[in-house]
Amino acid sequence: MSLPAQDPAVSLEPMMLYMGRLARAAAAELAVASPEQKNAALEAMASALEAGTAKILEANAKDLEAAEKNERDAAFLDRLRLDEARITAMAKGVRDVAALHDPVGQTIASWSRPNGLKIERVRVPLGVIGMIYESRPNVTADASALCLKSGNAVILRSGSDSFLTSLVIANHLTDAIKSAGLPGEAIQLVPSVDRQAVGFILAGLDGAIDVIVPRGGKSLVERVQGEARVPVFAHLEGNCHVFVDETSPLDMARDIVVNAKMRRTGICGAAETLLVARAAVDTHLTPIVDALIEAGCEVRGDPDTQHTDSRVKTATDEDWDTEYLAPIIAVKVVDDVDDAIAHIGEHSSHHTEAIVTNDEASAATFLSRVDSAIVLHNASTQFADGGEFGMGAEIGIATGRFHARGPVGGEQLTTYKYVVHGQGQTRPCS
């Protein structure tokens, strides 16, 4: 069976429900596919991306042209834009996923009972993943690869801005999967930019979808979290912090802060607030602020920070809670690590926070007491990425407390079941 091409005369809901049934059937096949079968499909997918570079870039140019006409900001355009290097990186990410250990069938724990029963807790796929994303067309490849590796089917709903690019990528991936002998319906992209499609996915497609992962702006994630009738892996915002104390080597602190903010300002792991210990004001604050401004970053600071550089603008209360996704950073002087932790606790979105220090006690305090999905010591917040964690790629970052937290890779897209081995045991009546 194949998905019917969208026609204005065809109602969206029946088509979406049909996609759900196809995905559920494909998931059943993937759940028992061997690691060799899945890895062969992933290699075919990576090769298809490389072979399809010209067509992908052609579609991406059309998406970019439309986005520019719609006056999308620079950060948005950066997330949308592909070039040969980024497509090569996408293909490498797919191959990196193929190289990972297959999580499906892994025995997490095993034990024996006094009655002779042997019990195992074994990883199994979640089933069907609903992926809703906006301007990042590379998510099409990342999500598809991770879902396939973990034995899950995926229904992709891209944003209208990245639709043409995502559609071309998805078509290449689907053809590649078929060539490897696995069901092409394992990867389906909704062939519509109708916003109603999101609502149907959030409703679960009549039980077909097991979990939803949104990747996009705050309004999208708020809608998903508010309306979804199935579990959601998501983060609402990436209001990330870096705390620098007086024991940190200046060069290291300056390099980490500038990288955390300016490497790519539009990603969720970009630092939005810098906290500097009061004891480090005379040695660290001025050179770090100067480096940020020289790198093209607007600095908004508290009175102590403004006193160090006339170019620093006044920070308002709103700045401490803002995810800029732009070359802007809020800077505040805090008393010590405890004061930094208190500020983060009040204003953080619980995504990613970093401490730069050579004081191991302060580092241990920060890492244990900061309640975020990712905490780092002497490293940039821009490492908040599944690929950098050795996961090959990620389907998203989750800041909730259930099932998955932090980068959601292949292992996080599995659940488990109990497998019990007996030799004829029966349970006594009393």
Side-chain angles (χ1 to χ4, degrees):
M1 299 177 72
S2 61
L3 185 67
Q6 188 180 357
D7 186 307
V10 177
S11 173
L12 183 62
E13 183 174 15
M15 184 187 72
M16 296 290 297
L17 293 174
Y18 183 61
M19 290 180 69
R21 291 194 296 272
L22 292 176
R24 180 57 67 187
E29 290 190 49
L30 289 181
V32 294
S34 70
E36 292 75 19
Q37 285 178 294
K38 291 185 287 186
N39 288 341
L42 288 165
E43 175 56 39
M45 290 162 61
S47 297
L49 290 173
E50 292 168 336
T53 295
K55 290 184 179 180
I56 294 169
L57 291 179
E58 181 181 353
N60 189 241
K62 294 177 181 178
D63 281 335
L64 282 167
E65 182 181 2
E68 289 170 350
K69 287 182 179 178
N70 290 330
E71 298 183 344
R72 296 293 193 176
D73 61 32
F76 187 98
L77 293 174
D78 178 61
R79 294 192 294 272
L80 175 61
R81 181 176 289 106
L82 293 180
D83 54 27
E84 288 191 14
R86 288 188 177 182
I87 294 175
T88 298
M90 287 166 53
K92 180 181 182 299
V94 174
R95 291 193 173 98
D96 288 345
V97 170
L100 297 174
H101 175 73
D102 194 317
V104 179
Q106 176 187 355
T107 300
I108 304 169
S110 62
W111 61 95
S112 297
R113 298 291 295 144
N115 62 4
L117 290 178
K118 295 181 179 179
I119 303 174
E120 298 173 333
R121 188 184 300 132
V122 180
R123 290 195 187 279
V124 295
L126 287 170
V128 178
I129 312 298
M131 187 76 203
I132 304 171
Y133 55 108
E134 293 182 328
S135 62
R136 291 184 184 275
N138 64 291
V139 172
T140 310
D142 291 348
S144 298
L146 286 168
C147 288
L148 184 70
K149 181 74 175 187
S150 53
N152 298 288
V154 62
I155 294 176
L156 303 156
R157 201 285 183 181
S158 76
S160 58
D161 294 283
S162 62
F163 177 72
L164 295 178
T165 312
S166 299
L167 184 61
V168 172
I169 292 172
N171 287 340
H172 281 299
L173 299 179
T174 297
D175 290 343
I177 291 174
K178 291 179 181 178
S179 72
L182 290 177
E185 294 81 10
I187 298 173
Q188 299 179 76
L189 187 137
V190 178
S192 171
V193 295
D194 191 324
R195 292 179 179 272
Q196 290 186 75
V198 174
F200 293 131
I201 292 174
L202 297 182
L205 298 183
D206 199 21
I209 292 180
D210 295 288
V211 68
I212 294 171
V213 183
R215 285 281 294 271
K218 185 176 180 180
S219 61
L220 169 66
V221 179
E222 282 183 331
R223 180 187 177 189
V224 171
Q225 291 179 332
E227 297 180 20
R229 298 182 188 175
V230 294
V232 175
F233 294 162
H235 71 272
L236 189 59
E237 291 180 295
N239 187 17
C240 305
H241 297 71
V242 178
F243 168 60
V244 174
D245 80 357
E246 68 278 10
T247 72
S248 62
L250 175 58
D251 288 346
M252 180 175 71
R254 181 169 47 207
D255 290 347
I256 287 175
V257 171
V258 173
N259 182 267
K261 176 69 259 185
M262 297 299 292
R263 173 187 165 270
R264 288 188 70 181
T265 60
I267 68 172
C268 59
E272 307 292 14
T273 298
L274 168 64
L275 304 174
V276 178
R278 193 168 302 280
V281 168
D282 292 340
T283 55
H284 291 64
L285 184 57
T286 297
I288 292 176
V289 167
D290 181 66
L292 285 166
I293 294 173
E294 289 301 312
C297 184
E298 177 183 318
V299 177
R300 302 177 184 179
D302 66 351
D304 288 321
T305 305
Q306 286 187 288
H307 182 71
T308 68
D309 195 307
S310 61
R311 296 171 293 177
V312 175
K313 298 181 179 180
T314 302
T316 66
D317 289 342
E318 183 180 354
D319 283 304
W320 311 123
D321 298 303
T322 299
E323 180 187 30
Y324 299 111
L325 298 175
I328 305 170
I329 194 168
V331 182
K332 183 178 182 181
V333 175
V334 294
D335 291 336
D336 50 26
V337 66
D338 292 326
D339 197 15
I341 292 169
H343 179 95
I344 292 169
E346 182 177 355
H347 300 284
S348 171
S349 60
H350 307 290
H351 189 293
T352 299
E353 329 296 347
I355 180 173
V356 188
T357 180
N358 272 356
D359 186 325
E360 293 297 331
S362 291
T365 297
F366 186 94
L367 298 177
S368 63
R369 287 176 50 195
V370 170
D371 181 27
S372 291
I374 303 168
V375 288
L376 305 100
H377 175 206
N378 289 347
S380 168
T381 59
Q382 298 254 343
F383 283 108
D385 177 273
E388 297 297 328
F389 277 37
M391 296 177 176
E394 68 178 43
I395 200 170
I397 302 284
T399 55
R401 296 179 178 276
F402 292 102
H403 186 78
R405 199 178 194 203
V408 179
E411 185 175 298
Q412 289 72 33
L413 292 175
T414 63
T415 182
Y416 56 80
K417 65 181 177 183
Y418 289 97
V419 178
V420 182
H421 302 277
Q423 303 86 33
Q425 290 92 331
T426 60
R427 187 169 179 180
C429 294
S430 60

